[in-house]
Amino acid sequence: MKQTPESRVPAIQKLTNAVSGRRTTLALHATRVACSLGMLMPGNGKWRAAGNLYLGATTTLLQARHRYGTDGSDQVATQVQAVTGLARLSNSPQVKDALMWYLALQANMSYAASGWTKLAGTKWRDGSALPGVMRTRTYGFERAYRLTRRYPRSSKVLQHGVLAMECLFPVVYLAGGRLTRPMIGAAGSFHVANAFVMGLGRFMTAFPAMHPMVAYTTAPRTFPAVAGRDDRMVRTALALLAGGVAGAAVLATQRRARAVAGWPMSRTVTTRSGNVLQYDTGGRDIPGRPVLVFNHGLASTSEHFAWMVERLAFDSGQPVVTYSRAGYGPSRRVKDAPYSLQESVDDLEDLIRQALPEDRKVVLVGHSLGADLNRRAAERLGDRLAGVVYLDPTHPGQLVRSGKQKKGSELFTDSLKEMARWTKLGCGALMARPRWVDDLPYPYREKVFSLYTDSRLWTAAEREWEVVRREFETFDGELDPVPAPGLVIAAQVTVDIDPEQLLMYHDIARSHQAAGRYGDVTVVERAGHDSILTDARHARTAADLMAAFVEQHCMPPAAADATAPAGGLPAERGKPEKPEKPEKEDERK
């Protein structure tokens, strides 16, 4: 838990460390039990306000050890305790009403957001969600699962009823409050059922704790108890919402501009399909040395190769080219026809032929899906291809041969659709910054995060994955021989989780051996599928393996001893070139 702290502020970390010891934790729980028993006694004095605030504060403190507060029920309970405590401390009726409205609005958002999120997925609409949940170990209930299978129509009606209750919960403010009791009754029954069927006991007490505030705010002014209710909180909330939407729109516009801007030395080519690809070059123009052309993975960016590019181009002078596929970042997809993988292969071929001299050989370097696209393009390049490097690559048979990949592809499909849908609606402004972004070199972080929150990346990834999944699910052949040296650099975490992946990596190496060329597999210890790029240590290890492969298998004998002349290819993304440093270290495991 200390590896993923609740806060990176040193003062807060010291506080959570102080209260996370065994004795302190037990003492906090004991005092919470005593406070809760006291809160069940009759009375409505200021001490009850102190009790509310104490329970809310200690729930937050205990997150350091128990992670309470990460579930929706804990978040709701903490808010109810804290806001109710503040309302009880205040002597102003207007403040009390504002705080009650706050909790009522939170209740409406909780139900509506949950409902509309479910509605966006196919499983709740087609009626398969409830049986799927009931058969799981964590939330399942065998008897209920059997009932859903025996009465599928009733199960579907029940699911649609839950969707209707959650999505339409804000209608409690219509019809003069006459809908309040039916909606609250339906919501309360929903939580009671979940408590007994799914084991979500805390939800049964947390969410209904907001229902009295909903009843209070929906009651018509003709009721004497609410005749003087202050409803200005609603107008305030709407104004804040409008301001938030406007702010999110400005932020999204800024991020989109940064995502499509490119780098100072970026260039473009127009391919046969009409797509406009943006690419960057780096390193030094060493005669006879092949250019490394990097092809990124699915839902990824060319900036993911930053550590490798800096290691190869800046430290060793190795000439490199990085680019974004059509639809990603600054590269535009203009072609109107349905997407196919051959389109990306053609784009790659056109990029190489237009961006580099005709006599310049290339080594294709690809990560994940980019590696498979490179393998498909290898034959098209003929004598220009000096070698192929696969970074934890995709194998076209992985959905057929690997049960783990097959199962994971279903979740991945749903996730891509959700990301594409919600980022198109502007929700990218709400996305938290992933930690791997801050693992990249500093100059790349803001741009990569802008790309990650932009709908273009997720739309392009969804388009590619739809075709990839369809092709991979029907793959039953052998890999075509690749007439060039090949090196597969695998991530240890990938092959540890699924040993079948290592067998498929050796298949890729054998496809090079079948053409009478060099083919091998090496593993980077402790690296994961993504961290082999984003972690500086793993990325540099892979870069060194790549450099050794180029020197030993991709260089003509006469060029191996050539020295670099002055000038050469522009420095990567406009950065100054660093002096060439010979590297003797061999980190292959």
Side-chain angles (χ1 to χ4, degrees), residues 161-174:
V162 171
L163 276 179
M165 181 275 293
E166 292 187 326
C167 293
L168 300 177
F169 193 85
V171 302
V172 293
Y173 290 95
L174 303 179

Side-chain angles (χ1 to χ4, degrees), residues 33 98 138 202 204 216 258 308 361 381 450 526:
V33 170
T138 305
R202 298 200 304 278
M204 184 178 64
Y216 175 72
R258 187 182 294 119
M308 293 182 178
K361 291 183 177 292
L381 296 174
S450 297
R526 300 186 180 181

Side-chain angles (χ1 to χ4, degrees), residues 2 4-14 16 67 435:
K2 286 185 176 182
T4 56
E6 295 295 330
S7 173
R8 297 192 178 187
V9 178
I12 297 180
Q13 289 182 356
K14 289 182 179 180
T16 55
R67 292 292 175 181
R435 294 189 177 184

Side-chain angles (χ1 to χ4, degrees), residues 276-307:
V276 180
L277 305 183
Q278 181 166 295
Y279 70 96
D280 298 276
T281 61
R284 307 175 71 180
D285 191 9
I286 304 174
R289 180 174 290 274
V291 178
L292 271 59
V293 180
F294 286 82
N295 195 350
H296 60 82
L298 189 76
S300 185
T301 73
S302 61
E303 287 75 15
H304 275 67
F305 297 113
W307 285 120

Side-chain angles (χ1 to χ4, degrees), residues 373-385:
L373 294 174
N374 287 350
R375 183 186 60 80
R376 295 166 185 251
E379 185 177 355
R380 307 282 295 275
L381 296 174
D383 294 338
R384 297 197 63 176
L385 183 64

Side-chain angles (χ1 to χ4, degrees), residues 112-121 414-431 453-455 458-459 462:
S114 177
W116 287 102
T117 301
K118 291 187 180 73
L119 191 62
D414 294 337
S415 298
L416 276 183
K417 290 181 179 179
E418 293 295 317
M419 292 298 293
R421 178 183 297 115
W422 291 110
T423 51
K424 286 179 182 178
L425 293 175
C427 294
L430 303 177
M431 292 173 64
T453 58
D454 189 72
S455 62
W458 300 105
T459 302
E462 182 186 17

